[in-house]
Amino acid sequence: MLRRIILPLLCLMLLLPACKEEPKIPAELKAINEAIESDKPGIYYMLQDYKPKVQRQPEAVRMYYDFLTIKYEDQISFRHPSDSLIKGIVHYYEEKNERRMLPEVYYLAGRVYASFGDALRGLDYYQQALDASAAQGNEKLMQRIYFQMGHIFLHQDVYDEALNAQRKALGHKHLAVDSVSEVFILKDLGATYAAQGKTDSAFLYYQEALRKAETACNASVRFYVKEDMAALHLRLGEYDKAWHLLDAPPADMDASVQATLYRLKAQLFHRTGQPDSALYYCRLLTREGSSVYDWQAASLEMAGIFTGQGRFQDAVNQYRQYVIYTDSVQKLIRTAAISKAQSTYNYRLRERENNQLKLKNAEQHTLILVYLLAGVLIVGGGTIYLLYLRTSRQKQNERIKELERQQEEQYTRSRAYIEQNNAIIRQLETRLASTSADNTQMRERLQTQQEQLRQRNIRAEAEMRQQELALHTFRQSDIYIRFHQAADFSELSETDWQELQRTIDETFNRFTARLYALSPLSERELRICLLVKAEIQPTGIAQLTGRVKSTITSARKNLFEKLCGKKGSAEDFDRFIRAF
């Protein structure tokens, strides 16, 4: 009896919200949406004019206003400070099951998370947008979604999936006519083939992109394609073709396009033997570059130019600046980025299927909800545990990669590196001698490779001499002598330790910072590292730290495992620190 009463009441409660009439969207907001769709001027002021009224409106109107705000900000490539606004919009329209709005809402959510560098969540929302768009036949939106997915896969180096998405985007061009969008799709196809080393296919798509840009009478977009083509010609050593493409840049370039132009011109002037002009554009890139990537490229280019001019101290300074910028670039790389497109794709497909299953189960009997909740808790606990394991592995991999990077950097300043380059130069000389004089392109390419290797050797020789001089100066320094003459820790002050750390950092290129990049260290651990670097013997280290020798031996073994990610002896640690 009770069941017969409760079930109708529950049904009535579920039906009541559906009977509630949703408020109509004001004509002003509809006009703003039409203005955004047609890219009319003055949209910002239209949104600002309506803003004072929006707080007095029902929730549906407020949410639609927030949706238009995100849509306009996406149109002008505004970088969102957080995902709080788009999360509220997605939650509202999902809860209301607004199928007409959801495709574009999901697309904008994908754009927001992609702008944060969260490729995983971006792809997830793009896939949801595709599913929702396909049901409505929104071909124009589907083209934009496939283009954005292809763009993510391209920048994650997952080229097969990138090509697949880009071709699908191109397949919608006859239904969603937008010549500028088609140019960018073709340009990305060219970039993807270029990244795969398929230069013929790359130039084919770049040429088609140029033709479409000319048809659209859009000089800025056309030059954007030209820069990509010029970069590929530069990589192939085809300097005249690269110069031709960079002629007559448009006056209304944005900062990123202008920075790319400066970088390409600096490289071209350097490769064609015009170092002063190359330096001019490097300095422009340093001053006006829009990102740390621009500054990194400029520093490396200037280091090569100064080395060629025999200005070794300037070259070393620029190379150190390049290392600093490279460290900054590494920090910008998100550890949660996808590594393989197929595994990521499958994971998100499974996650979406699980979400759909939850929604379907939510409409069933209350008892099934209890079972579902238990399942979610189990899966959640397992997921947390797996995330913990993955985070631990990521940290370990990051430490190994950082150590390998530093060892590779150190190798480029070694005699073995110079000998290896000399061996390659001799091989190139043999190939050059056997190459026909008529094959000018091959001969120029071999000569360019030889010159690049010689320049690297000059830079390595200069850095080795600089390091030897710094080491000699360090061994003659007052602080070095003071630590070698001290009998025990009582003779050393905090100032002495700080001075030793400062001197070692100056001598050995940010020694402390590079150690911390591998692993956090306590004060005692850092001091042991400093003393080993200062060539203090283990017995002396024990005396200067107030510990027994056996404790120092154990600490050195533990430090080797902590910094290198593998077990080793105390002597292995000493060799590692002295070579670090």
Side-chain angles (χ1 to χ4, degrees), residues 525-578:
E525 290 173 330
L526 175 60
R527 288 184 175 182
I528 292 173
C529 293
L530 293 173
L531 291 173
V532 172
K533 196 64 176 174
E535 302 174 330
I536 305 292
Q537 295 302 313
T539 302
I541 295 174
Q543 293 170 347
L544 296 179
T545 57
R547 302 289 193 278
V548 296
K549 185 178 177 182
S550 60
T551 301
I552 296 302
T553 300
S554 177
R556 285 151 61 213
K557 290 171 63 178
N558 292 337
L559 274 168
F560 182 81
E561 183 174 357
K562 189 173 186 177
L563 294 171
C564 299
K566 59 184 179 181
K567 293 186 180 297
S569 65
E571 290 72 24
D572 290 334
F573 170 74
D574 293 347
R575 284 190 290 271
F576 169 76
I577 289 295
R578 286 169 184 161

Side-chain angles (χ1 to χ4, degrees), residues 156-197:
Q156 295 293 330
D157 301 336
V158 189
Y159 302 125
D160 290 338
E161 291 297 337
L163 290 172
N164 183 45
Q166 290 157 359
R167 288 177 183 135
K168 286 181 178 179
L170 203 61
H172 290 280
K173 66 182 180 181
H174 63 290
L175 297 171
V177 180
D178 184 346
S179 56
V180 173
S181 295
E182 192 176 352
V183 170
F184 282 103
I185 296 168
L186 290 165
K187 186 186 82 69
D188 269 12
L189 275 163
T192 306
Y193 279 116
Q196 291 181 310

Side-chain angles (χ1 to χ4, degrees), residues 52-71:
K53 308 175 188 177
V54 76
Q55 296 304 323
R56 301 191 300 271
Q57 299 292 340
E59 185 183 23
V61 177
R62 296 198 305 271
M63 282 297 166
Y64 191 75
Y65 177 85
D66 289 342
F67 161 79
L68 291 177
T69 301
I70 290 281
K71 186 173 180 178

Side-chain angles (χ1 to χ4, degrees), residues 70-216:
I70 290 281
K71 186 173 180 178
Y72 169 68
E73 289 172 348
D74 176 66
Q75 186 182 72
I76 62 172
S77 301
F78 173 78
R79 183 171 177 80
H80 305 279
S82 74
D83 62 349
S84 57
L85 188 60
I86 191 63
K87 282 172 69 175
I89 296 170
V90 170
H91 176 75
Y92 173 82
Y93 285 109
E94 281 183 339
E95 192 174 57
K96 297 294 182 182
N97 196 24
E98 284 272 3
R99 297 182 181 179
R100 181 182 59 84
M101 295 290 298
L102 279 174
E104 198 163 9
V105 167
Y106 286 143
Y107 169 77
L108 291 174
R111 290 282 290 160
V112 170
Y113 286 111
S115 72
F116 292 161
D118 192 342
L120 203 62
R121 295 186 72 179
L123 284 172
D124 181 53
Y125 277 110
Y126 286 145
Q127 185 61 52
Q128 291 186 66
L130 272 180
D131 294 344
S133 299
Q136 297 182 14
N138 192 337
E139 297 291 336
K140 184 176 181 180
L141 182 58
M142 290 175 70
Q143 181 191 56
R144 288 153 61 192
I145 297 167
Y146 277 124
F147 171 72
Q148 295 298 336
M149 293 177 75
H151 200 68
I152 288 179
F153 286 127
L154 170 60
H155 289 280
Q156 295 293 330
D157 301 336
V158 189
Y159 302 125
D160 290 338
E161 291 297 337
L163 290 172
N164 183 45
Q166 290 157 359
R167 288 177 183 135
K168 286 181 178 179
L170 203 61
H172 290 280
K173 66 182 180 181
H174 63 290
L175 297 171
V177 180
D178 184 346
S179 56
V180 173
S181 295
E182 192 176 352
V183 170
F184 282 103
I185 296 168
L186 290 165
K187 186 186 82 69
D188 269 12
L189 275 163
T192 306
Y193 279 116
Q196 291 181 310
K198 300 176 181 178
T199 54
D200 290 340
S201 297
F203 283 123
L204 182 68
Y205 281 102
Y206 281 142
Q207 291 291 352
E208 182 65 9
L210 277 181
R211 190 180 67 80
K212 293 288 183 181
E214 287 175 349
T215 302

Side-chain angles (χ1 to χ4, degrees), residues 353-363 369 372 376:
E353 289 169 359
N354 289 338
N355 289 334
Q356 291 172 352
L357 180 60
K358 292 175 189 177
L359 291 174
K360 184 182 293 184
N361 289 344
E363 298 170 358
L369 286 177
L372 179 62
V376 169

Side-chain angles (χ1 to χ4, degrees), residues 262-549:
Y262 290 159
R263 176 173 56 79
L264 291 172
K265 284 197 170 184
Q267 292 174 347
L268 280 168
F269 277 122
H270 187 195
R271 305 298 183 277
T272 54
Q274 302 177 71
D276 291 339
S277 297
L279 282 173
Y280 169 77
Y281 280 101
C282 283
R283 291 184 178 114
L284 277 179
L285 185 58
T286 302
R287 187 169 65 249
E288 302 179 16
S290 60
S291 71
V292 69
Y293 298 94
D294 297 331
W295 307 327
Q296 179 194 36
S299 298
L300 183 61
E301 198 68 30
M302 285 194 285
I305 294 169
F306 286 140
T307 300
Q309 293 178 334
R311 297 164 60 180
F312 299 122
Q313 184 58 53
D314 290 337
V316 169
N317 291 339
Q318 287 300 324
Y319 190 75
R320 286 176 176 168
Q321 198 66 37
Y322 165 75
V323 171
I324 292 171
Y325 288 138
T326 300
D327 289 343
S328 299
V329 167
Q330 293 299 322
K331 292 175 185 176
L332 293 174
I333 298 174
R334 295 181 61 87
T335 58
I338 58 174
S339 59
K340 296 291 180 182
Q342 193 59 50
S343 60
T344 299
Y345 221 44
N346 291 340
Y347 170 79
R348 282 310 181 186
L349 284 172
R350 288 195 300 270
E351 187 178 62
R352 187 170 55 261
E353 289 169 359
N354 289 338
N355 289 334
Q356 291 172 352
L357 180 60
K358 292 175 189 177
L359 291 174
K360 184 182 293 184
N361 289 344
E363 298 170 358
Q364 296 177 1
H365 199 273
T366 305
L367 186 58
I368 298 176
L369 286 177
V370 174
Y371 291 144
L372 179 62
L373 179 60
V376 169
L377 289 174
I378 293 171
V379 172
T383 302
I384 291 171
Y385 178 71
L386 291 174
L387 286 174
Y388 168 77
L389 292 179
R390 188 176 69 175
T391 301
S392 299
R393 286 196 296 268
Q394 283 179 342
K395 289 181 179 178
Q396 175 73 1
N397 291 336
E398 287 169 4
R399 180 168 65 246
I400 293 171
K401 287 180 182 178
E402 175 63 21
L403 182 58
E404 290 173 349
R405 184 192 68 77
Q406 294 194 27
Q407 289 174 339
E408 183 178 357
E409 180 185 325
Q410 182 179 343
Y411 177 71
T412 61
R413 298 194 298 271
S414 68
R415 181 61 56 189
Y417 175 73
I418 294 172
E419 291 301 325
Q420 175 186 310
N421 286 346
N422 286 335
I424 298 173
I425 290 171
R426 289 192 293 271
Q427 292 174 5
L428 291 172
E429 286 175 350
T430 303
R431 289 181 61 190
L432 188 62
S434 62
T435 301
S436 170
D438 296 333
N439 194 349
T440 57
Q441 185 175 359
M442 177 60 74
R443 292 181 67 84
E444 288 176 359
R445 188 176 301 173
L446 293 173
Q447 289 168 352
T448 299
Q449 293 174 359
Q450 283 184 313
E451 183 59 25
Q452 290 173 345
L453 290 169
R454 292 190 183 103
Q455 293 299 327
R456 291 173 187 170
N457 281 354
I458 291 170
R459 182 167 62 248
E461 289 278 3
E463 290 176 352
M464 287 171 60
R465 287 194 295 271
Q466 184 77 14
Q467 185 60 44
E468 289 170 0
L469 178 61
L471 181 59
H472 176 75
T473 303
F474 172 62
R475 287 172 175 163
Q476 302 298 317
S477 66
D478 293 339
I479 195 66
Y480 179 92
I481 295 170
R482 175 161 178 72
F483 271 80
H484 275 265
Q485 292 178 348
D488 59 44
F489 66 93
S490 64
E491 297 183 18
L492 300 172
S493 66
E494 185 64 28
T495 303
D496 292 329
W497 286 104
Q498 292 173 358
E499 176 64 14
L500 178 65
Q501 180 179 341
R502 185 190 63 79
T503 306
I504 287 177
D505 283 345
E506 290 178 353
T507 304
F508 298 103
N509 186 24
R510 299 168 53 254
F511 175 81
T512 305
R514 290 188 291 115
L515 278 179
Y516 281 135
L518 297 178
S519 177
L521 298 175
S522 68
E523 182 183 78
R524 182 172 67 87
E525 290 173 330
L526 175 60
R527 288 184 175 182
I528 292 173
C529 293
L530 293 173
L531 291 173
V532 172
K533 196 64 176 174
E535 302 174 330
I536 305 292
Q537 295 302 313
T539 302
I541 295 174
Q543 293 170 347
L544 296 179
T545 57
R547 302 289 193 278
V548 296
K549 185 178 177 182

